[in-house]
Amino acid sequence: MEALFFNANTGFLEGIVRGYKAGILTQSQYANLAQCETLEDFRTQLSATDYGNFLANEPLPISTSTIADKATEILVEQFKYLRTNAVEPLRKFLDYITYGYMIDNVVLLITGTLHERDTHELVKRCHPLGVFDSMPVLCVATNVEELFQSVLIETPIAPYFRECLTASDLDDLNIEIIRNTLYKAYFEDFYEFASSLGSPTSDVMHRILAFEADRRTINITINSFGTELSKDQRAKLFPTIGRLFPEGNNQLAKADDIDQVRQICENVSEYRSFFSDAPSGSGSGSNGDDFNAIAEQLEDRFFSTEVHLNKQAFLQQFQYGVFYSYMKLKEQEIRNLTWIAECIAQDAKDRIQDFIPIF
């Protein structure tokens, strides 16, 4: 029934976002970029894609951070166009996409306040999709208690703070715990909102959000090895959604090394490849190089799985998941561009192919 009326309100914007998706770089375009000798060549090659002359006014030499910033600006403009023309419930869905960026921005401001940094300078480093109208109010705060009260009142993510944290939690040691606690609340809330939208949006988003929750659960587990975080505290940070929930989460809360994490993840068929080729016996006190190699390999495989799930979202019509998936695919494309540009700048051609292709 939803499909019958979907196009009346959202058909135009779905067509727009699918058109945007057609401009995502292809394998042959990546091959051309990887053959560039200088960043000037890189800029010339990009001008032949949908990015056009977005770097034309940038003085030489171009920095890789400038390339990432300018590419992000294009994505932000596209998102703002979609958001401006959206009606409910798509408008609310697009708001949910921005909440993750808001969490990162607020955590950045909390960190800056703890270290007595100039928060006005930090605002310039915030992700533009996570900027909200009342953000300047947060910059007035001179200590974490004032900042916490401002966040509770002024931000769209106030419910996540109100339900999960107190002002006494805002200290330097807890900053990553704060971030993970907020993301846990965010994923659970987004999952519930997606459920309220019904099929097929809920089907698409449940698959994607379940993976995102599991990825965070696995990362929290591995990163807590060798730290002061207790197993009870670790368990409280796990989102209560995902393919691993509840049994996998319970087992990961008690895990002591990467081998145990590997065994738990193998219970989900799609996750078995995450730890393949990883050296065995990599406990919490193992060689640091081995541990870092496993973490890097795991991150790449997470990104590959994320790309796969978001590509699949475009196989179904009459659903809002394509808007979320487009944003995530473009973020991966920007990471790819930054990686290739960095390899060219540092003359590290042997690693230039180590990006995650999309199409």
Side-chain angles (χ1 to χ4, degrees), residues 8-9 27 36 39 56 58 61 135 138 159 173 179 183-184 195 215 219 226 235 240 242 253-254 293 296 301 315 332:
N9 290 327
Q27 193 72 51
C36 295
L39 289 181
E58 296 303 314
M135 185 172 276
L138 303 187
L173 293 174
R179 188 195 304 274
Y183 264 103
K184 165 184 159 69
S195 300
R215 167 160 67 173
N219 278 333
T240 56
K254 301 169 187 172
E296 188 175 332
R301 292 181 179 178
L315 300 180
Q332 182 58 53

Side-chain angles (χ1 to χ4, degrees), residues 306-315 325 329 357-359:
E306 180 186 37
V307 165
H308 173 69
L309 288 173
N310 286 309
K311 282 165 62 176
Q312 283 191 321
F314 284 90
L315 300 180
S325 293
L329 290 176
I358 300 174
F359 291 111

Side-chain angles (χ1 to χ4, degrees), residues 42 64-65 67-68 333-343:
F42 184 83
T64 53
S65 60
I67 293 171
E333 181 175 272
I334 292 169
R335 283 192 291 270
N336 290 347
L337 290 176
T338 307
W339 176 264
I340 295 171
E342 199 68 59
C343 287

Side-chain angles (χ1 to χ4, degrees), residues 49 60 89 134 164 174 224 237 259 268 311 316 319 342 359:
T49 69
L60 292 174
S134 54
C164 308
N174 284 340
S224 67
L237 299 177
D259 277 347
V268 179
K311 282 165 62 176
Q316 284 184 266
Q319 45 90 14
E342 199 68 59
F359 291 111

Side-chain angles (χ1 to χ4, degrees), residues 76 98-103 105-106 126-132 135:
V76 170
T98 66
Y99 291 168
Y101 303 104
M102 289 183 190
I103 290 172
N105 287 352
V106 170
C126 288
H127 195 291
L129 284 177
V131 173
F132 41 90
M135 185 172 276

Side-chain angles (χ1 to χ4, degrees), residues 97-275:
I97 294 175
T98 66
Y99 291 168
Y101 303 104
M102 289 183 190
I103 290 172
D104 289 336
N105 287 352
V106 170
V107 169
L108 177 65
L109 293 177
I110 291 171
T111 307
T113 304
L114 286 169
H115 291 107
E116 299 181 352
R117 300 269 301 277
D118 182 0
T119 48
H120 292 88
E121 285 296 316
L122 290 175
V123 167
K124 297 175 184 176
R125 291 175 48 197
C126 288
H127 195 291
L129 284 177
V131 173
F132 41 90
D133 293 340
S134 54
M135 185 172 276
V137 176
L138 303 187
C139 298
V140 178
T142 56
N143 56 56
V144 288
E145 287 78 12
E146 289 180 11
L147 182 63
F148 184 75
Q149 293 304 321
S150 298
V151 167
L152 284 180
I153 298 168
E154 301 291 346
T155 72
I157 56 174
Y160 305 150
F161 276 86
R162 197 177 299 121
E163 294 166 11
C164 308
L165 298 167
T166 63
S168 60
D169 292 324
L170 304 186
D171 63 52
D172 209 14
L173 293 174
N174 284 340
I175 202 69
E176 282 307 312
I177 295 176
I178 293 167
R179 188 195 304 274
N180 286 312
T181 302
L182 293 173
Y183 264 103
K184 165 184 159 69
Y186 164 58
F187 282 137
E188 291 168 358
D189 188 28
F190 199 176
Y191 193 91
E192 187 177 335
F193 176 70
S195 300
S196 72
L197 296 175
S199 182
T201 296
S202 59
D203 298 337
V204 171
M205 289 307 300
H206 282 179
R207 282 195 298 270
I208 294 171
L209 292 174
F211 165 72
E212 293 290 354
D214 288 342
R215 167 160 67 173
R216 189 156 287 272
T217 298
I218 294 167
N219 278 333
I220 290 169
T221 302
I222 293 174
N223 291 333
S224 67
F225 294 154
T227 69
E228 296 178 1
L229 191 71
S230 70
K231 291 182 178 179
D232 286 340
Q233 287 175 311
R234 184 200 300 175
K236 290 177 183 176
L237 299 177
F238 295 165
T240 56
I241 58 173
R243 302 284 300 281
L244 292 170
F245 177 78
E247 185 59 31
N249 282 17
N250 293 336
Q251 292 174 339
L252 284 171
K254 301 169 187 172
D256 293 311
D257 57 45
I258 285 193
D259 277 347
Q260 292 180 16
V261 176
R262 184 210 312 261
Q263 291 165 11
I264 295 163
C265 289
E266 283 178 351
N267 292 323
V268 179
S269 58
E270 290 88 346
Y271 299 169
R272 285 176 189 162
S273 64
F274 289 168
F275 293 92

